[in-house]
Amino acid sequence: MMVLVTYDVNTENSEGRKRLRQVAKACVNKGQRVQNSVFECLLDPTEFAIFKDEIEKLIDPEKDSLRYYFLGKNWKKRVEHVGAKETYDPEETMVI
Amino acid sequence: MMVLVTYDVNTENSEGRKRLRQVAKACVNKGQRVQNSVFECLLDPTEFAIFKDEIEKLIDPEKDSLRYYFLGKNWKKRVEHVGAKETYDPEETMVI
């Protein structure tokens, strides 16, 4: 199943910035980063359940937001992209 | 139709920050801001075409990324939210 995962992590303090790094790392391991905080994750239901549990333990539910969009079988028809394909990752070191 | 709009605007310079403000403003006028750069827009096809044209003129396609996810009629079943910033249902009448 294709699940779009989007997040907003409150980075007002160092704990928030740590949560952001942790959530991003968990998402990078499970999906395709299509934008900075938007991931397309092709997972089976068991993998998704484990992933969901993992990232929901990382966020602060009072401050951070996670959204899942279940795009279904015909997910490719539901997506349209415009503009730059590659996104920068402010958390990672750039290698030139 | 429910269209999820997500964007990454490159804000390395002042032109980028200006584009970000413009794109955000255009999206706020057309949808519900569910996360910082994620909007759920309930529009008819004509409204969507006008909106799409508007925001695609604002971005720099070499630097910025826009993605549209067409969530279909059963969009409510496709969405799950966890954490902060719960959203309202744009198809229900607001009672104040």
Side-chain angles (χ1 to χ4, degrees), chain B residues 17-31:
Chain B
R17 291 188 286 277
K18 184 179 178 187
R19 291 196 306 278
L20 179 64
R21 287 194 299 273
Q22 291 174 326
V23 173
K25 190 177 175 186
C27 290
V28 163
N29 286 337
K30 289 292 188 299

Side-chain angles (χ1 to χ4, degrees), chain B residues 1-15:
Chain B
M1 60 201 253
M2 175 55 84
V3 187
L4 184 74
V5 180
T6 70
Y7 56 74
D8 258 356
V9 174
N10 184 317
T11 57
E12 281 174 352
N13 57 34
S14 61
E15 287 83 1

Side-chain angles (χ1 to χ4, degrees), chain B residues 5-92:
Chain B
V5 180
T6 70
Y7 56 74
D8 258 356
V9 174
N10 184 317
T11 57
E12 281 174 352
N13 57 34
S14 61
E15 287 83 1
R17 291 188 286 277
K18 184 179 178 187
R19 291 196 306 278
L20 179 64
R21 287 194 299 273
Q22 291 174 326
V23 173
K25 190 177 175 186
C27 290
V28 163
N29 286 337
K30 289 292 188 299
Q32 164 72 4
R33 187 173 220 159
V34 294
Q35 289 178 346
N36 197 37
S37 60
V38 179
F39 289 75
E40 290 175 0
C41 304
L42 196 59
L43 302 169
D44 68 37
T46 305
E47 288 173 325
F48 176 64
I50 294 167
F51 172 52
K52 188 174 187 293
D53 185 59
E54 178 188 7
I55 55 176
E56 288 175 16
K57 283 177 180 162
L58 294 174
I59 67 161
D60 179 340
E62 299 293 317
K63 295 180 176 174
D64 309 329
S65 157
L66 268 176
R67 288 178 83 84
Y68 307 103
Y69 295 91
F70 302 94
L71 299 182
K73 287 182 181 173
N74 293 318
W75 65 272
K76 289 179 190 176
K77 292 182 182 171
R78 298 189 180 279
V79 186
E80 185 179 337
H81 178 88
V82 175
K85 298 180 203 167
E86 189 52 275
T87 57
Y88 78 108
D89 179 349
E91 290 186 326
E92 282 182 11

